[in-house]
Amino acid sequence: MVAFQNDDVVHTTNHTHDCPEDFCKTGISELDLKLGGGIPTGNTVLMVGSSGSGKTTLSMQFLANGAKMGERGVFFTITEPLFKLTKNMENFSFYDKKMIEQGKVNIIDLRIISERLGLDAEKYSVEDASALLDVLKDIADELQVKRLVIDSITALCYRLKTNEMIRDFIFKLGSSLAAMGCTTILTSEVPPSGDGGIQYSKYGIEEFIADGIMYLSDVDRKGDLIRTLQLIKMRGTSHSRSKVALAISSSEGIEITPLLKSKG
Amino acid sequence: MVAFQNDDVVHTTNHTHDCPEDFCKTGISELDLKLGGGIPTGNTVLMVGSSGSGKTTLSMQFLANGAKMGERGVFFTITEPLFKLTKNMENFSFYDKKMIEQGKVNIIDLRIISERLGLDAEKYSVEDASALLDVLKDIADELQVKRLVIDSITALCYRLKTNEMIRDFIFKLGSSLAAMGCTTILTSEVPPSGDGGIQYSKYGIEEFIADGIMYLSDVDRKGDLIRTLQLIKMRGTSHSRSKVALAISSSEGIEITPLLKSKG
Amino acid sequence: MVAFQNDDVVHTTNHTHDCPEDFCKTGISELDLKLGGGIPTGNTVLMVGSSGSGKTTLSMQFLANGAKMGERGVFFTITEPLFKLTKNMENFSFYDKKMIEQGKVNIIDLRIISERLGLDAEKYSVEDASALLDVLKDIADELQVKRLVIDSITALCYRLKTNEMIRDFIFKLGSSLAAMGCTTILTSEVPPSGDGGIQYSKYGIEEFIADGIMYLSDVDRKGDLIRTLQLIKMRGTSHSRSKVALAISSSEGIEITPLLKSKG
Amino acid sequence: MVAFQNDDVVHTTNHTHDCPEDFCKTGISELDLKLGGGIPTGNTVLMVGSSGSGKTTLSMQFLANGAKMGERGVFFTITEPLFKLTKNMENFSFYDKKMIEQGKVNIIDLRIISERLGLDAEKYSVEDASALLDVLKDIADELQVKRLVIDSITALCYRLKTNEMIRDFIFKLGSSLAAMGCTTILTSEVPPSGDGGIQYSKYGIEEFIADGIMYLSDVDRKGDLIRTLQLIKMRGTSHSRSKVALAISSSEGIEITPLLKSKG
Amino acid sequence: MVAFQNDDVVHTTNHTHDCPEDFCKTGISELDLKLGGGIPTGNTVLMVGSSGSGKTTLSMQFLANGAKMGERGVFFTITEPLFKLTKNMENFSFYDKKMIEQGKVNIIDLRIISERLGLDAEKYSVEDASALLDVLKDIADELQVKRLVIDSITALCYRLKTNEMIRDFIFKLGSSLAAMGCTTILTSEVPPSGDGGIQYSKYGIEEFIADGIMYLSDVDRKGDLIRTLQLIKMRGTSHSRSKVALAISSSEGIEITPLLKSKG
Amino acid sequence: MVAFQNDDVVHTTNHTHDCPEDFCKTGISELDLKLGGGIPTGNTVLMVGSSGSGKTTLSMQFLANGAKMGERGVFFTITEPLFKLTKNMENFSFYDKKMIEQGKVNIIDLRIISERLGLDAEKYSVEDASALLDVLKDIADELQVKRLVIDSITALCYRLKTNEMIRDFIFKLGSSLAAMGCTTILTSEVPPSGDGGIQYSKYGIEEFIADGIMYLSDVDRKGDLIRTLQLIKMRGTSHSRSKVALAISSSEGIEITPLLKSKG
């Protein structure tokens, strides 16, 4: 037996990082309550939803609330131009321009990064993807961020050429994120659920690297679409899995309330 | 770390355009009400629906009403010949030939443009698609339009050869539209929803470049098909998401009314 | 800006054909009523339905009734041999052999045409398809027809080699038909709807070139299949969209009646 | 205009065969009643059903009853060995060995034919398929059959190499059958309908060459599977389209009875 | 006409094997009752079901009961190791080690056979598949078996490289089995039926070579999964098609009982 | 007959391993009860479920409980880093660090193994897969484990290049596991069931090598997701197949309780 030595196994539990035991609070009180305190520090959460389900707003609020608690964060966007993103966020009371100016919340357009890296703006090779991962890591290290968002992993993967490359990239991203130790939100864009069943990701692999899954979807109440949130999974917590309503307002941002039962 | 300098992040919020803060009214009063004032200026809206759902009429009315408010608009068509399009529109009271003659509403057949560019009429190469994007931008600039419609993004993409080209084109179109600053409607042709679930676009990528999604569909009331409209998403607004009835008449064009509940 | 000159836009509305403003009556009185007068002259209508839904009979009756109103028509068939087609039609009272003999209704087997053109009987190249389109146009011009039927566009497309060729062909056919100015019915063969959702065409592109969609389907009334017709779309008309029953009898041909509601 | 001469059109209706006007009775009295007399002579009927729906028995009974009325028939089988087929048929009272011995019903294994033609037993080339069609025609001519069955067109097509070959073969078969003038049944094997919608054929093209469609399916009555028959289409007849029960017994073979409504 | 001589047709019915007229009893009394006596001798039965539906147990019980009636049988396994198979069977009272020792029931691992033939253990070429068929036939002949089981045809086909090879193999297997004259069970592994409709086989071709289809599935009674059996088809019998419950116990093996109706 | 000798058949039952007759208890008392004692020793169980269904926790608890009963176990992970896995497990009372230190439960990251083997970290060749199987076997032998978990077979197969390689690998894995004699759990990651039917595995082949299937899924109780467990199949046991609730708490780990019926 060449590949295996007996002490490998014992080693493995000593391999535990120096992980803070506490939680990374989202700052949305009902959500932290539901999570049993917050997201376990260092977890990677897949935030799943279709267009308009609230993924971007919830992610940004997670960073803004972190900043208020003294934790730096970074938001990597891949589809939305920065000026549009910030303009939209300025509508929300949780968002404060000073966080940006003081470097507490950092918003970075991955397309600008990849341009600077000399990458093909629309299509990455294996090496490009790898280089991009390195830069992500460098940025997170340099900024000493505790919270990291990629919005969205789906659009990021669209820039890879083949399904095989996408699989490899996702597994490598998983390893990188685990090593970084940040609490991470990856947004996952899926089609509206309708009658065609549920899915957590475009490629069915993204959930492999996730310690938690937040599922945002719409409930149709006789023609009225209600946004909802459901915790499918959150390793390291005892969490409720009931579906709750998610409201978005400019004054409060995201709010979580009980979902009224349909009479039908 | 080569690709990243610390002031990149701070830069980004200064990168905000000189965006007008107000709304771009559709001029359909109940729709503007539902939108909380109108479409945020500069937003790109995906207007989703199957054949016969009212996409073309609603888009044209958006431009005609804009013209009455002093905003120039351009309508790019890709499948319908101009003479047919205008003949059909002349049936509607909102449509006034003078708008066309005075250059307030400009209707342009992309096939004529692409012919003049020397493009293959039915099939574009990467360069063709890129050249076409440049012309779109030039036209919008020269005409100083505030409102822009592409009817439909689906048919436009059919002229691209591969799925990879389509993905690239859509992302590039998104960047171009964001840079142009017009309030834009992209119509998205989808199959009738039936029992097969909902989709927002043919390729599942079109929604990535959209700030808003308007979903037009039919509700079957015991054999009677009722047209409906639903706002799935509209960044920068607090909008209702309830489904409303959409009626088309020659006197009023598109009208929005409450959707009576089915008794069944 | 090379590709665009300012007067292009103004030109475009002058580009309007000399279109008759009135309607092209189907001669089936309840259907014309439903259509608000008839099919707008020059429109291309996609008549969608599965095998046995009544597409061929309704199309032929449209031509026969046109002949009685003094409008010449042509019926292009691609799957059914002429002797079978005419034998079946002779069962209907609307059909009169004299129309054929006097050239008021012309029935042409596209396979005979393509044989004469030296085309591969079962498989067309790009050039074949193009040549066929030219001949269609020549025939329509020479016969001075006002009404044109292709039965079916689905079978016609089956003779093209690739999906790309089919897309191109459909877009070119749309341009040709628009230029011809005939009122046209394209029959579209789809699978029975069952529980698997609705579709308007085999390739999902045929509806792009249609100004109107008539949807023929079966309603199951406890094991009894009722034929129905529904107007999904008809540009230039204010039409009802309710589903109506479609009966076929030898004495009357197609008749339209209200659809009794199911008690279940 | 090279390809078209004016008298082509007039020619076409003179092209009518010398078709007998009457019906080809199935000899199953309720079915003939439902058909309004029988299958119009010369029609090609697609008999659709999953395994166990009764296609083979009904086809054979059609031939046996024809023999009793003095019409010769031929049954082409492609999957079932002759000895098994005849052994199973001997269980039915409608089947009489003498019909076979006297050449009134002829059962031919297409695999034996294709072996004699030197064809690859499992896979046909274009030429093979063409040669087989010629032999089918020769046999039908030589035996002077009025009724012809191919059981099944689905298995026959499985022996063709590509979807393109299959499409060509089906269209050519349609032309051959139309020219032969026999009343023909093509059995079409489809998956059980279940909840996955209805289909009439494996390739969705077989129905293009059919003048009639008989749909055999199972109705589930609380765990009891009831065989049913439904006439979807029969050109040249005024037929009922209600679903009826189809019973198979050794004494009567196929019998048609009303389908009791489910109480649920 | 080269390929056809007139006496071919008459020949065919003389081609009948010397088939025993009686039935091959399964030895499960309610099942034999349902079958109207048993499986017609020489029939090939496709036993369809998902994992855990009871296919292997029912097949083995068929052989064991045959042995008790003096008929030799052979069980070809392709996925399960022999020691596991026999260990599991020893839990059942119908299974008696002596049957194996006395050669009344023979269990053969096709992987051992194919190894001995020098075949690639996991992937067969056309020649491999053909050689394997020959060996199957030789074994059946040498052992003079009357009953034959292949568990499963699905796993066997997985070892073929292309869909085309699979189609050819299945048709050849059908011919071989018909020539052998054994009463045969082919198990067919399908996904659990769920809401996604019914299927009888992985490739949709396996049923072409089957004289009978037994469908094993689960009925969900408020979270309790009940195994059921339904006879879809059995040529040469008058059989009930109602769904019955199938129970598996170590004392009785498979037992068939009426299926209690759901109250819901 | 070259490939077969008469004594092959008799041999086969002598081929029975020296298998312990008793059960391998999961240590979750209600689950062992449901299983009729436990998992039959040496069985391979496919534990099917979507993200968040409890597969990893249940598998680890199976090993921890085994350790308490004196049986060594090994847990092969392929997606989750060791430090994260152990950190999460430390939340559960069933998990005791000493088990790891004393080598009673061994946790091994297959990625570290494959790295040491010099394999491409993300993509295996045929030889890589084969080498990995050998190492798995060596480790199990050396550690003298009685219980083995692979979490997940789905992620493991993702690292193989083609569907053909995956099929071969799964069949070879089945043979290896059967030969090893351990009681094995393979976790199988499937999409959430939703309305799209049930599946047991990504490739539909994994169940071929399983003696048992445990199906973990969610039941929606008006927006509250309840985790459930259902035994689909367990060879060698008389087990209940009713669906039961599965609760996860840090104090008890997995607990099995009756599933309250929905009132709706």
Side-chain angles (χ1 to χ4, degrees), chain C residues 56-57 60 80-97 100 107 250, chain D residues 12-24 38-44 177-178 181-184 211 234-237:
Chain C
T56 300
T57 306
M60 192 62 91
E80 216 175 346
L82 292 176
F83 77 89
K84 277 200 161 183
L85 181 63
T86 52
K87 186 184 147 218
N88 283 327
M89 285 305 139
E90 282 163 14
N91 289 312
F92 292 107
S93 62
F94 66 73
Y95 185 87
D96 181 356
K97 262 188 153 174
I100 307 288
I107 306 177
S250 56
Chain D
T12 55
T13 52
N14 295 343
H15 207 284
T16 53
H17 266 215
D18 181 39
C19 287
E21 299 286 312
D22 51 5
F23 291 103
C24 176
I39 301 170
T41 304
N43 265 15
T44 294
L177 290 174
C182 301
T183 307
T184 300
D211 305 296
M234 189 59 71
R235 284 191 181 139
T237 69

Side-chain angles (χ1 to χ4, degrees), chain A residues 51-52 80-84 87-88 91 100 106-107 116-117 122-123 138 158 218 222-225 227, chain B residues 1 3 8-9 12-13 16 41-42 167 171 178 207-208 211 213 230 233 235-236 241-243 261:
Chain A
S51 274
E80 216 174 345
L82 291 175
F83 76 89
K84 277 199 162 185
K87 184 183 149 223
N88 284 326
N91 289 312
I100 306 288
N106 303 276
I107 306 177
R116 204 159 309 165
L117 285 168
E122 305 300 336
K123 218 74 213 157
D138 287 347
Y158 268 128
D218 290 328
K222 302 197 174 193
D224 201 3
L225 279 191
R227 288 188 181 89
Chain B
M1 201 182 66
D8 274 344
V9 183
T12 54
T13 52
T16 51
T41 304
R167 288 194 306 224
F171 283 120
E207 51 265 54
F208 277 101
D211 305 296
I213 297 178
Q230 191 158 34
K233 166 185 182 178
R235 284 192 180 138
R241 301 178 92 217
S242 61
K243 193 177 273 189
K261 304 298 184 194

Side-chain angles (χ1 to χ4, degrees), chain B residues 8 16 69 75-76 88 113 116 149 156 169 180 209 245 264:
Chain B
D8 274 344
T16 51
M69 294 181 254
F75 187 100
F76 292 104
N88 284 325
I113 297 297
R116 203 160 309 165
V149 172
L156 187 52
F169 176 76
M180 283 188 221
I209 62 167

Side-chain angles (χ1 to χ4, degrees), chain D residues 80 84 116 218 222-223, chain E residues 8 211 235 241 243 261:
Chain D
E80 216 175 346
K84 276 200 163 182
R116 205 160 307 165
D218 289 330
K222 303 198 172 190
Chain E
D8 273 344
D211 305 296
R235 284 191 181 139
R241 303 178 91 214
K243 193 176 273 190
K261 304 299 182 194

